[in-house]
Amino acid sequence: VSRWKPDSRRRLQDAALALYAERGFAEVTAAAVADRAGLTERTFFRHFADKKEVLFGDEAALRDVLVAAVTAAPPDAPAAEAVLAGLEALAAHFQERRDRVVARAHVIARSPELRERELAKVASWTEAVASALRDRGLPPPASAVAAEASIATFRAAFRQWVQGPADRTLADAVRGAFADLSGFVRQDRARPRDRP
Amino acid sequence: VSRWKPDSRRRLQDAALALYAERGFAEVTAAAVADRAGLTERTFFRHFADKKEVLFGDEAALRDVLVAAVTAAPPDAPAAEAVLAGLEALAAHFQERRDRVVARAHVIARSPELRERELAKVASWTEAVASALRDRGLPPPASAVAAEASIATFRAAFRQWVQGPADRTLADAVRGAFADLSGFVRQDRARPRDRP
């Protein structure tokens, strides 16, 4: 791999984010992104399948960050602790790039096509977390539920972080969301019909 | 509204489901769906925007079923009880149409485009549940978390129902998934770092 490649990739990602924010995703071509980055269209397509995928180039790397932390939690730690470790690792990654992550979220929110692609990414992360929980010995049905509910809770926290004050960290928002989830579920267990 | 309209609509939905299952979504045109239903392409487009939307014609009606049950729960019932009432109403609707619902789920699972559209539908239902919880007085952040986690849990239950034995009801699967969620969250609260 030659040395210029990572740089081209990042320049294309930056150019795409800037152009999509300025003009809207639907109005921008891959050629325009390449041009803004000072690269050829051919180089664009060497890195990304299309103008949508340029915003999702980190999907697999971030999934690995998430799964690695879930896997690295002590074997006897509760599943929820392992998942929270994974989500905190993801939160730290996003926190370091706040401006970029928020800009990307706004671009995605404005495009139905990108929103649907983003949801597919989330589904892929969810399955990866479920798989990591199965590897930790949690039964498959409970792993699926835990992964779905945890990623959903993270998404709610992420939206609050994007929309909220810049001095609230994503990790704080994630912990707050899990506290909300806990309150919600506890009420459920306390409802009268569960009592003898 | 003339009397034949609901019938055309249903015939188009049945034809689409059958054709997509036989040939795959990507291989079927709106004209072929209309032809299978014994109707004109013009009639197809009077009912549905495109060949994708024919599978999502019930999206708004089912969202209303869900929200109506959340709203109808006693005002002093815990949020979780209200949400569960909504999900049980949805489960009953799906249970009555099991074969059709399962066939639709398999068609969607095989098409990336339909999977992404399905996820967008789920996002719209989630927002509707969050809105209903806000109307019940739950704070907005907790409403968002509760709605996201509940719909996610329902989705996990739905998949287990689709893949599982035909004699297990969706309502059973939903209750089982909420029990799994409860176990997961309780472990979280019991983890050592939360203790003084």
Side-chain angles (χ1 to χ4, degrees), chain A residues 80-113:
Chain A
E81 182 174 329
V83 172
L84 217 65
L87 297 178
E88 283 170 354
L90 207 52
H93 179 94
F94 287 154
Q95 192 69 46
E96 284 168 19
R97 297 155 184 79
R98 188 179 201 282
D99 289 349
R100 192 183 167 73
V101 170
V102 169
R104 181 180 173 283
H106 286 308
V107 164
I108 287 173
R110 283 162 50 204
S111 159
E113 191 181 351

Side-chain angles (χ1 to χ4, degrees), chain B residues 49-63:
Chain B
D50 57 38
K51 67 167 180 160
K52 187 160 62 173
E53 291 309 312
V54 68
L55 287 184
F56 294 89
D58 298 334
E59 176 174 2
L62 291 178
R63 189 181 55 219

Side-chain angles (χ1 to χ4, degrees), chain A residues 52 78-81 83-85 88 113 116-120 123 126 133 138 140-142 144-150 152-153 155-157 159-160 175-193, chain B residues 52 78-81 83-85 88 113 116-120 123 126 133 138 140-142 144-150 152-153 155-157 159-160 175-193:
Chain A
K52 188 159 62 174
E81 182 174 329
V83 172
L84 217 65
E88 283 170 354
E113 191 181 351
E116 294 194 352
R117 176 66 182 82
E118 175 74 6
L119 289 166
T126 303
L133 289 176
L138 202 65
V145 167
E148 288 274 3
S150 296
T153 301
R155 277 162 53 73
R159 275 200 300 275
Q160 289 164 14
R175 283 187 287 267
F178 271 83
D180 283 336
L181 176 65
S182 178
F184 175 73
V185 169
R186 277 154 188 273
Q187 279 187 314
D188 176 38
R189 297 298 298 178
R191 69 200 162 127
R193 75 168 77 151
Chain B
K52 187 160 62 173
E81 182 174 329
V83 172
L84 217 65
E88 283 170 354
E113 192 181 350
E116 294 194 353
R117 177 65 182 82
E118 175 74 6
L119 290 166
T126 303
L133 290 176
L138 203 67
V145 168
E148 288 275 2
S150 296
T153 301
R155 278 162 54 74
R159 274 200 299 274
Q160 290 164 13
R175 284 187 286 266
F178 272 82
D180 283 337
L181 176 64
S182 178
F184 175 72
V185 169
R186 277 151 188 274
Q187 278 187 314
D188 175 39
R189 299 295 300 181
R191 65 201 167 128
R193 74 169 77 151

Side-chain angles (χ1 to χ4, degrees), chain B residues 67-139:
Chain B
V67 167
V70 175
T71 303
D76 57 348
E81 182 174 329
V83 172
L84 217 65
L87 297 178
E88 283 170 354
L90 207 52
H93 179 95
F94 288 154
Q95 192 70 45
E96 284 168 18
R97 297 154 184 79
R98 187 177 201 282
D99 289 350
R100 191 183 169 74
V101 170
V102 169
R104 181 180 173 282
H106 286 308
V107 164
I108 287 173
R110 283 160 53 205
S111 159
E113 192 181 350
L114 290 177
R115 284 202 304 272
E116 294 194 353
R117 177 65 182 82
E118 175 74 6
L119 290 166
K121 181 196 80 174
V122 169
S124 128
W125 288 3
T126 303
E127 175 44 36
V129 169
S131 171
L133 290 176
R134 290 194 299 272
D135 289 346
R136 293 182 64 86
L138 203 67

